[in-house]
Amino acid sequence: MRCFLFLLLACVLSFALVDSAVAAEFLTGKEVTIAADETWEGDVYICAQSAKVEGTINGDLVVYAQSLHVSGTVEGGLIAAGQEILLEGTYGRSSRIACQAAKVGAGTQMQRDLVAACYSLEVEKGTAIDGDLVYAGYQAMLGGTIKEDVWAAVNRAEVMGKIGRELSITTDSNQQPGPPPNQFWQNLKLVNIPMVSPGLTIHEDATIGGKLTYHSPSEVTIEDGAKVTGPIEWIEPERPAKQGPKDKTNYFWGQLKRYVTLLVMGILMVLCCPATCGGTVDQIVQRPIVSFLAGILAVPLSIIALGVAAGLIVMVPMAFGWLTLDGLAAAGAYIAAFAMVLYVGSLGYFFVFGAAAVTSITLGRIVFSDHPITSRGRLILSLAFGLVFYVVLTCVPYLRVGVFVAAILFAFGGIFVWMMRGLFGSSSEKAAPAPKAS
């Protein structure tokens, strides 16, 4: 986790601290090349399919390209994103890269940190990184010399170089050797992705000058001849405990309690508002698409109305206070607060219990009857039957969230359409002239 935080912070700071006082050069095209005999003053920005930097840049280098090869001198920092990146030469400040495959070639001199996010990162022997290495990706092969700390989160890694201080690394549980990486990416021209052994391997010629901390389900492989100066700490992830018969029984009783709770709360809603429940279910069954789309509108409207109700607590007493009528300001505050509590309670009830009840009644109505249900008894029967399907569907991990969201949208949309039809439908019926008797 610390590796990702350091990587994110470093990337944000790198873009936020670009010096705007120095003139910048912008280079674009299919292929951009800065020759070995060229010297560019100030920052250089490159956007191209292929970029090659062999000369000297007395400033920062920012590149977005499919392939990038830097073999010259960058006095400032490097920020690069692309498919493949090959770094050689000299770098005066920290380098930050994001790509599919990256390679730091032999003889490279980095006077500060290297921050990278890649599928594969290879640091060859003969490389010198004077600062830290912060890396997140699938695999890493670390040779050369890294004078300070290494923070990494990977699936697999091999260390064969020298790390001046601490190595803190996280590896994944996948210990199976995969197919050759180049089998998936055969169009790479600059970087050849190496085969890295699963887990964490410290080779015989590797040296770690400080503490070794690794988070891994398997123990590190340290070959004879490898030197780890500091202590070694293995943090093994906790494995999920297997459910026993008692756990399964508790889970069953928990779902049964949830069914009973939803059933009782649904019956309460049916007894209090049978016309609303029946009308809402009718709209969902007859107009499912309209009800679902209306729910997308009705849910945010209900939340906006919540804000309006909260505003009444302030606006009502202020309005009465402006009238300077004794006692009305306090009365207005009490009325607004009561309305707020009533609305919040109703909205919360419908979110938690009402949507599940309406969805269950709809499922029962589809099975039992093609005609509108008006009696409380038949509504309760449909509720009890459909609630079984609702509880079972919400027990499936991949369906749980989807069922919750669909139930809320259908329920809110159905009641919204029913209210609109009751409002405008009754008005139109009153406005329509009665047919003349023959």
Side-chain angles (χ1 to χ4, degrees):
M1 178 60 69
R2 287 184 295 177
C3 298
F4 287 106
L5 292 177
F6 277 121
L7 179 62
L8 178 61
L9 180 60
C11 291
V12 171
L13 290 178
S14 65
F15 285 100
L17 299 179
V18 174
D19 187 3
S20 59
V22 182
E25 298 289 343
F26 296 86
L27 306 177
T28 60
K30 184 176 181 180
E31 296 181 1
V32 174
T33 301
I34 296 179
D37 57 349
E38 296 183 19
T39 300
W40 292 71
E41 300 293 338
D43 301 335
V44 176
Y45 296 81
I46 300 176
C47 182
Q49 182 175 352
S50 175
K52 181 182 293 186
V53 179
E54 299 174 344
T56 301
I57 297 177
N58 293 324
D60 296 334
L61 175 61
V62 181
V63 181
Y64 178 74
Q66 181 177 355
S67 62
L68 170 64
H69 182 195
V70 182
S71 58
T73 300
V74 180
E75 297 293 343
L78 170 66
I79 302 173
Q83 182 180 13
E84 53 177 342
I85 297 177
L86 174 59
L87 300 181
E88 297 174 328
T90 304
Y91 304 86
R93 293 208 301 258
S94 298
S95 300
R96 300 167 178 84
I97 59 174
C99 61
Q100 175 183 306
K103 181 178 181 180
V104 184
T108 302
Q109 299 290 326
M110 291 188 173
Q111 299 179 12
R112 297 286 293 276
D113 304 332
L114 172 60
V115 182
C118 318
Y119 170 86
S120 174
L121 172 65
E122 180 183 4
V123 180
E124 287 190 331
K125 293 185 177 181
T127 298
I129 300 176
D130 294 344
D132 298 330
L133 171 62
V134 181
Y135 173 64
Y138 177 77
Q139 66 177 27
M141 183 172 286
L142 305 180
T145 301
I146 303 170
K147 292 188 177 180
E148 297 189 8
D149 301 325
V150 174
W151 309 85
V154 296
N155 180 280
R156 54 192 65 192
E158 295 184 26
V159 180
M160 56 196 66
K162 180 180 180 181
I163 298 174
R165 298 196 303 189
E166 180 180 354
L167 170 60
S168 178
I169 189 169
T170 300
T171 60
D172 194 39
S173 59
N174 183 11
Q175 301 297 315
Q176 299 296 328
N182 289 331
Q183 175 179 337
F184 299 101
W185 298 291
Q186 301 177 359
N187 58 341
L188 298 179
K189 300 178 181 179
L190 294 176
V191 179
N192 184 26
I193 300 179
M195 286 287 296
V196 179
S197 302
L200 175 61
T201 303
I202 311 295
H203 289 277
E204 58 182 2
D205 51 352
T207 301
I208 299 176
K211 180 181 179 181
L212 170 60
T213 304
Y214 65 99
H215 303 247
S216 177
S218 60
E219 192 172 0
V220 62
T221 301
I222 302 178
E223 298 181 353
D224 296 336
K227 298 180 181 180
V228 181
T229 304
I232 300 177
E233 182 181 3
W234 177 21
I235 302 176
E236 187 175 6
E238 296 182 0
R239 297 180 180 179
K242 295 182 178 180
Q243 288 188 350
K246 184 176 180 181
D247 297 329
K248 295 180 180 179
T249 303
N250 293 336
Y251 180 78
F252 171 77
W253 283 112
Q255 297 304 320
L256 182 60
K257 291 178 182 178
R258 188 163 73 95
Y259 173 85
V260 173
T261 302
L262 292 174
L263 179 61
V264 171
M265 302 305 290
I267 291 175
L268 180 62
M269 187 177 70
V270 170
L271 294 177
C272 296
C273 310
T276 302
C277 294
T280 302
V281 171
D282 290 340
Q283 296 304 319
I284 297 175
V285 173
Q286 297 173 7
R287 301 170 181 84
I289 298 178
V290 175
S291 299
F292 184 83
L293 296 177
I296 299 176
L297 176 63
V299 171
L301 284 179
S302 63
I303 299 175
I304 294 173
L306 177 61
V308 174
L312 292 176
I313 297 178
V314 178
M315 290 186 295
V316 170
M318 286 181 62
F320 284 117
W322 290 334
L323 296 176
T324 65
L325 298 177
D326 296 337
L328 287 182
Y334 289 133
I335 294 172
F338 177 77
M340 177 70 178
V341 172
L342 185 63
Y343 180 77
V344 171
S346 302
L347 189 63
Y349 176 88
F350 199 76
F351 263 108
V352 178
F353 303 109
V358 169
T359 304
S360 302
I361 295 173
T362 304
L363 294 174
R365 154 96 187 260
I366 293 174
V367 174
F368 281 114
S369 176
D370 293 334
H371 303 287
I373 300 176
T374 56
S375 65
R376 290 184 175 89
R378 298 188 65 182
L379 286 172
I380 294 175
L381 180 63
S382 300
L383 169 66
F385 182 80
L387 194 57
V388 175
F389 293 94
Y390 179 83
V391 173
V392 171
L393 289 175
T394 53
C395 290
V396 181
Y398 298 102
L399 294 178
R400 182 182 297 118
V401 177
V403 172
F404 284 148
V405 174
I408 291 173
L409 293 179
F410 274 116
F412 272 87
I415 195 171
F416 181 78
V417 174
W418 177 75
M419 292 173 62
M420 292 298 102
R421 285 183 60 84
L423 179 62
F424 295 104
S426 59
S427 300
S428 60
E429 290 174 1
K430 293 178 182 178
K436 295 181 179 180
S438 56

